[in-house]
Structures are given as C-alpha cells and as structure tokens.
Amino acid sequence: MQITLNKQPGLHISAKTREIIVDITVYLFIILFMYTAASKILTVKAFASTLAKSPLIGSYNMIVAYAVPIIEIIISVVLIFPLVRKVGLYASLLLMTAFTAYLAYMVLSGSKLPCHCGGVISTMTWQQHIWFNLGFVALAIIGLTISRKKK
C-alpha cells in the first residue's frame, strides 16, 4: 500500500484570481500614493511646517516634504509596469513600513502634531492611521506572496 503525499495543504487560488488580487493591490497603492502625493504637493508649505516640529525630522523638513511625494509618485509609476511591479510592491511595503514605524514613534513619544499625510487621511487619529497603514502593509505582503506563487 502506497500513500501519496504530493498534495500541499492550503488555499489553492487559480492563476487568474492571483492576477486579479495582485492587480487590485497595485491599483490601491497607486490610488493611495498618488492621492497623498498630490495632497502633500498642493500643501507643501504646511506639510513642511508640520514636519519641522517633528523630533525625528526637524531641520530636514524641506527635504522630506519634497522627497516623500516624489517617492510616492515614483513607486506609483513603477507599479504600473508589469515587468517591475514586484519591485514596486517591495518599495510599497518598505515605504508603508517606514510610515507605520514613524507613526508608532509619534504615538509612543506622546506627540500631538497633526498629520499632514494628505486629504481625508489627515483626519484620522494616529492610532487609526497606524491600523490603516498596517492594512496596506498586509496588502503588500499578500500581493508579494501571491505574485511569487505564479507558475
């Protein structure tokens, strides 16, 4: 009697479904980054002024005020092209992890600075913003995991 153990446990998702999930993840990141980048660029002076009060950023406020939206736009453009999409997902994961770490620091330090992340997102509390970012970190991980399983 022979037992075959070739079947792998877990959720089996078709290639088309994996592609759709990755596409949705990519589109959500593009929307998020382009929206927040546009909002930051349109209010760059206010964004830089808030950053100047941050204990971590301080005198680098102008560099960060311009660098963050530029990086968000670059990542959005990279995400558009299928050949480099995985690089864009890794960059999205890195950026969202960095943003989340910054927010966690701000909460733990007791900072009461307003958020200038862009538009409607600025109305969130620091804690809500951390959960929002963690959702996008999870999306990036899901997108990367699913895209690795392509056969």
Side-chain angles (χ1 to χ4, degrees), residues 102-123:
Y102 174 76
L103 291 170
Y105 171 82
M106 296 302 280
V107 167
L108 293 173
S109 72
S111 176
K112 300 296 181 202
L113 292 177
C115 173
H116 254 82
C117 294
V120 176
I121 296 169
S122 296
T123 64

Side-chain angles (χ1 to χ4, degrees), residues 4-13 18 148-149 151:
T4 306
L5 298 174
N6 290 342
K7 292 189 177 185
Q8 295 177 346
L11 184 62
H12 296 287
I13 302 172
R18 285 193 306 267
R148 277 193 199 135
K149 292 182 180 179
K151 296 178 182 175

